[in-house]
């Protein structure tokens, strides 16, 4: 069934519900949004409208605000003490229901009993609960196998992750259908196989925040000392106390309290409770751990680098690693999903288990033992899985194996990029995840240097370029643009163009893996690769026009060569972003793959190319790239010249003999 024929009912139009309804309408579903009265519904609709207008301004909507809004129909959900007829009718039509009412078990149970009774048997019924057991929410329903947790993050329209939680009686088909539905909303999913309190993200966050807080409560460190380690050493987007203030101390306090009530063992930090009782909740009240200009007025707290050194980064992450190890050992989630959840749900540049491997499992265990003694928190006893790894000598990167395998892999970290050689492939990762990998002069310099190295590295037969964190690259770093004069900008533009030419002219094939955003300079860089593979939720565009300028790193030249002048003009002149599928239709990307298969698909394409004869690959690339710039006559001549030249290579002899002998050729590039 097409999405526009499918019906989503969102019950609860508060913080989460209105956002989920907006998201479903943007994705093309017919949406019923239910809440207890008209006033709340009207206010939810105006919040949605405001948000849609903002998205439209940023070029992130393909349809008009009114068209999207017209898909949402408000429904008053109760009549007296009972659920209303209108809600019943909406539920009869529903393919999916998402519940986002307050965190009260009896209320949710009553709603699910009702929805289970009145909706069609194929409908999926999902709860967005943060802390209640899915199994208990489903307990009054006759068909609990179709009840599932879908934990969105705030704000749902922007946060890329949904945790899919399996209750004790949820069927595998329901889990799969919920994941497909989340993906159809443009989200990435992780699977929580057992209904544990706090799922993945809140459990890890809970350990992380609580540890930082306990260090301060015990007088071991100051607030800023904890936060500077989080920001400057671990590279996180915000410090522990900064984040608590930003999101609301009450939000964390109440979620963690509910998790503790359900058996999440932790020695709770008193400072959160004190702030909660004093109604110093952070940005929203104008004061939390830091002070702000007024209620709801945000200025970023100044966290000084001078405070570094007092708090070891392993102290801050060890309890989170311990929690992750517990989740993995108990079959709640896979190593990959734990790390994905942390990267997408908390915006960490690296997964918690990747960090464990970086710092070393031995250092993590040592930090846990120190913390346990100093903080008096029994839950910090190192998990059996960590002890096992320690005994086996699987300490992480330094021993070639930890949570991940590093054997045969060589890595080099520059300031803005990461180079990984995994013979015969090289991975170049744009590595400024907190800035959506925006491209700086330093990055251009480092890319240029690395491309040169790879061109001469005989182990490498194919190159992949990708982005770290949530995007490929959101473009050139424009923060320096306003102060610069035209001549400096000209130099930057020329340097960037030279880099794109260097990439295009490499003798080795370059595959670009696009996820999140490839915008402006990011797309221009991507267009200089030979093959582009995008993930389903990627967005591409040349939005420069919205800032008053035009693409300056080849966009006005390569884009028309790839998609034709008319389409290029539309993209460049409107500045609109397009989703990956549309980019695929116009040939701007070769292929679109599910988000969680991007790495695998890119790797297998690179491996395939790496088996081909290198000289012929280079000639094929040159014949096309240079041929297209010249007349047909000259292009054909170029083709013949390169074609015949290949008959001087050993690889042609190998290729032809292997063909005759019916075996796989082994090309040497000679
Ligand atoms: P909220 O208080 O902002 O919104 C809840 C809405 O439900 C209110 O508008 C309320 O009027 C409505 N409601 C109450 N009874 C109802 C009924 N019988 N029928 C229809 N609507 C009814 O709460 P929220 O922050 O949006 O949280 C909703 C759910 O999402 C909770 O389970 C919460 O744990 C979960 N959650 C919240 C966040 C977050 O950051 N706020 C994140 C993830 C999950």
């Amino acid at each position: 069934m097409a999405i526009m024929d499918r019906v989503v009912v969102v019950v609860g139009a508060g913080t989460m519900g209105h956002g989920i309804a907006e998201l479903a309408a943007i994705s093309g579903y017919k949406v019923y949004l239910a809440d207890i009265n008209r006033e709340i519904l009207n206010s939810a609709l105006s919040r949605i409208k405001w948000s849609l207008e903002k998205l439209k301004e940023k070029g992130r909507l393909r349809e008009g605000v009114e068209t999207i809004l017209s898909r949402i129909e408000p429904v008053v959900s109760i009549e007296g003490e009972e659920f209303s007829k209108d809600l019943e009718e909406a539920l009869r039509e529903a393919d999916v229901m998402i519940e986002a009412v307050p965190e009260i078990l009896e209320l949710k149970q009553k709603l699910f009993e009702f929805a289970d009774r009145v909706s069609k048997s194929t409908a999926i019924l999902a709860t967005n609960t943060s802390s209640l057991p899915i199994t208990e929410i489903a307990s009054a329903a006759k068909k609990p196998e179709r009840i599932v947790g879908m934990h969105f993050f705030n704000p749902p329209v922007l946060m890329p992750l949904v945790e899919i939680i399996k209750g004790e009686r949820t069927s595998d088909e329901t889990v799969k259908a919920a994941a497909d539905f989340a993906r159809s909303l443009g989200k990435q999913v992780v699977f929580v196989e057992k209904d544990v309190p706090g799922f993945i993200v809140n459990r890890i966050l809970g350990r992380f925040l609580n540890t930082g807080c306990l260090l301060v409560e015990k007088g071991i460190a100051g607030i800023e000392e904890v936060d500077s380690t989080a920001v400057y050493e671990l590279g996180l987007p915000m410090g522990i106390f900064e984040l608590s203030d930003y999101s609301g101390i009450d939000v964390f306090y109440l979620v963690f309290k509910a998790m503790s009530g359900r058996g999440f063992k932790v020695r709770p930090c008193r400072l959160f409770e004190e702030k909660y009782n004093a109604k110093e909740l952070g940005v929203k009240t104008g004061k939390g751990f830091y002070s702000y200009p007024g209620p709801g007025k945000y200025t970023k707290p100044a966290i000084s680098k001078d405070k570094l050194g007092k708090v070891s980064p392993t102290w801050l992450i060890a309890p989170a690693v311990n929690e992750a190890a517990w989740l993995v050992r108990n079959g709640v989630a896979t190593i990959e999903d734990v790390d994905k959840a942390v990267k997408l749900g908390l915006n960490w540049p690296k997964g918690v288990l990747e960090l464990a491997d970086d710092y070393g499992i031995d250092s993590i265990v040592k930090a846990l033992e120190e913390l346990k003694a100093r903080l008096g928190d029994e839950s910090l006893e190192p998990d059996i899985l960590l002890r096992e790894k320690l005994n086996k000598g699987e300490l992480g990167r330094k021993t070639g194996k930890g949570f991940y395998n590093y054997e045969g892999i060589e890595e080099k970290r520059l300031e803005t990029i990461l180079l990984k050689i995994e013979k015969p492939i090289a991975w170049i990762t744009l590595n400024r995840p907190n800035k959506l990998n925006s491209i700086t002069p330093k990055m251009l310099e480092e890319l240029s240097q690395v491309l040169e190295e790879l061109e001469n590295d005989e182990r490498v037969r194919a190159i992949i370029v990708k982005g770290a964190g949530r995007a490929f690259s959101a473009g050139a770093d424009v923060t320096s643009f306003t102060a610069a004069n035209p001549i400096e900008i000209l130099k930057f533009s020329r340097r960037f163009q030279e880099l794109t030419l260097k990439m295009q002219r490499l003798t080795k094939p370059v595959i670009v893996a696009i996820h999140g955003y490839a915008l402006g300079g990011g797309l221009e860089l991507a267009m200089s690769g030979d093959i582009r593979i995008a993930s389903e939720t990627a967005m591409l565009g040349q939005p420069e026009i919205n800032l008053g300028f035009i693409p300056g790193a080849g966009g006005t030249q390569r884009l028309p060569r790839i998609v034709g002048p008319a389409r290029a003009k539309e993209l460049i002149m409107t500045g609109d972003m397009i989703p990956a599928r549309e980019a695929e239709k116009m040939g701007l990307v070769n292929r679109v793959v599910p988000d969680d298969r991007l790495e695998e698909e890119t790797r297998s394409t690179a491996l395939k190319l790496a088996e081909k004869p290198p000289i012929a690959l280079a000639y094929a690339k040159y014949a096309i790239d240079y041929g297209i710039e010249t007349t047909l006559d000259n292009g054909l001549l170029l083709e013949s010249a390169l074609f015949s030249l290949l008959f001087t290579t050993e690889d042609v002899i190998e290729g032809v003999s292997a063909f005759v002998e019916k075996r796989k050729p082994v090309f040497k590039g000679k």
Side-chain angles (χ1 to χ4, degrees), residues 208 211-212 215 220-221 225-230 233-234 240 307-319 359 363-364 366-368 370-371 374:
F208 182 66
T211 310
L215 288 172
I220 297 169
E225 284 162 344
V226 168
D227 277 2
S228 65
T229 296
E233 289 225 36
L234 291 170
I240 285 179
K307 304 278 176 179
L308 274 177
K310 185 90 181 251
V311 176
S312 150
T314 51
W315 281 2
L316 290 191
I317 59 155
Y359 283 103
S363 310
I364 297 291
K366 184 162 161 272
L368 283 168
E370 281 168 9
L371 287 171
R374 294 187 73 170

Side-chain angles (χ1 to χ4, degrees), residues 10-18 20 34-37 40 47 75-78 83 87 99-104 107-108 111 127-132 150-155 202 247 251 255:
V10 181
V11 187
T15 309
M16 296 305 288
H18 91 276
I20 297 169
D35 208 303
I36 51 176
N37 63 43
I40 298 178
R47 284 164 89 181
V75 173
V76 175
S77 63
I78 49 174
F83 290 116
L87 180 63
E99 164 277 309
V101 301
E103 202 72 335
I104 304 166
L107 173 61
K108 294 192 192 247
L111 176 65
T127 169
N128 184 41
T129 182
S130 297
S131 56
L132 298 170
M150 283 185 79
H151 188 232
F152 288 79
F153 291 77
N154 189 19
N202 278 337
S247 303
V251 174
V255 169

Side-chain angles (χ1 to χ4, degrees), residues 16 26 37 82 85 139 187 222 305 321 328-329 343 387 396 415 435 469 475 522 526 531 571 573 590 615 629 638:
M16 296 305 288
I26 293 173
N37 63 43
E82 298 302 317
K85 272 266 163 265
S139 63
K187 299 294 155 191
K305 266 194 179 162
V321 173
V328 170
R329 181 171 58 82
K343 285 188 272 194
R387 293 255 182 238
E415 205 180 293
K435 304 275 178 215
I531 293 175
L571 276 173
M573 290 161 76
N590 295 58
I615 308 174
E629 302 298 339
L638 173 66

Side-chain angles (χ1 to χ4, degrees), residues 25-324:
I26 293 173
S27 310
Y29 290 96
K30 160 90 190 123
V31 182
Y32 291 101
L33 177 58
D35 208 303
I36 51 176
N37 63 43
R38 284 265 159 228
E39 292 71 55
I40 298 178
L41 286 167
N42 287 342
S43 123
L45 288 173
S46 26
R47 284 164 89 181
I48 294 174
K49 185 162 188 234
W50 178 86
S51 160
L52 288 172
E53 277 162 0
K54 287 266 156 232
L55 292 172
K56 188 75 194 170
E57 267 170 37
K58 292 188 184 148
R60 293 188 52 184
L61 295 181
R62 295 299 289 159
E63 296 181 300
V65 171
E66 291 304 324
T67 310
I68 296 171
L69 264 182
S70 71
R71 296 199 187 102
I72 306 179
E73 194 169 314
V75 173
V76 175
S77 63
I78 49 174
E79 278 162 6
E81 296 289 292
E82 298 302 317
F83 290 116
S84 67
K85 272 266 163 265
D86 286 350
L87 180 63
E88 182 174 337
E89 271 165 32
L91 285 170
R92 275 191 207 291
E93 272 185 57
D95 294 293
V96 182
M97 174 189 89
I98 301 179
E99 164 277 309
V101 301
E103 202 72 335
I104 304 166
L105 181 61
E106 299 70 41
L107 173 61
K108 294 192 192 247
Q109 280 174 330
K110 211 173 137 210
L111 176 65
F112 276 87
E113 187 278 323
F114 178 70
D116 179 54
R117 187 153 40 83
V118 302
S119 63
K120 54 190 180 203
S121 64
T122 50
I124 304 169
L125 309 177
T127 169
N128 184 41
T129 182
S130 297
S131 56
L132 298 170
I134 313 300
T135 314
E136 281 181 43
I137 291 176
S139 63
K142 293 230 160 54
K143 292 185 280 301
E145 62 276 7
R146 58 157 163 165
I147 298 179
V148 63
M150 283 185 79
H151 188 232
F152 288 79
F153 291 77
N154 189 19
V157 175
L158 301 181
M159 291 296 285
L161 183 71
V162 177
E163 290 175 309
I164 307 281
I165 305 108
K166 192 170 181 190
E168 271 169 34
R169 298 170 68 185
T170 314
S171 71
D172 290 345
E173 296 76 56
T174 302
V175 168
K176 183 177 176 305
D180 288 345
F181 171 65
R183 291 189 186 110
S184 77
L185 300 176
K187 299 294 155 191
Q188 298 199 47
V189 298
V190 290
F191 296 99
V192 185
E193 298 287 343
K194 293 182 186 162
D195 190 3
V196 296
F199 317 133
I200 304 173
V201 172
N202 278 337
R203 286 182 84 94
I204 293 194
L205 181 65
R207 296 289 175 207
F208 182 66
L209 297 190
N210 202 59
T211 310
C213 186
L214 283 176
L215 288 172
V216 175
E217 185 194 307
K218 292 272 178 186
I220 297 169
I223 287 180
E224 258 198 78
E225 284 162 344
V226 168
D227 277 2
S228 65
T229 296
V231 174
Y232 301 113
E233 289 225 36
L234 291 170
L236 306 188
M238 284 191 188
I240 285 179
F241 296 97
E242 185 187 5
L243 173 69
S244 309
D245 275 5
Y246 186 80
S247 303
I249 291 168
D250 52 333
V251 174
F252 291 142
Y253 173 70
L254 294 174
V255 169
F256 297 148
K257 202 167 159 198
M259 283 164 58
S260 305
R262 284 187 53 207
F264 179 72
K265 286 199 197 76
V266 65
R267 149 131 159 52
C269 175
R270 276 205 316 273
L271 302 185
F272 275 109
E273 188 163 20
E274 281 169 20
K275 288 280 168 198
Y276 179 78
N277 290 335
K279 299 205 168 42
E280 290 180 3
L281 305 179
V283 177
K284 63 173 120 179
T285 59
K287 189 168 167 35
F289 293 109
Y290 296 94
S291 293
Y292 303 88
K297 298 215 167 88
Y298 177 67
T299 47
K300 196 169 171 57
I303 298 168
S304 165
K305 266 194 179 162
D306 302 344
K307 304 278 176 179
L308 274 177
K310 185 90 181 251
V311 176
S312 150
T314 51
W315 281 2
L316 290 191
I317 59 155
V321 173
N322 207 34
E323 184 60 45

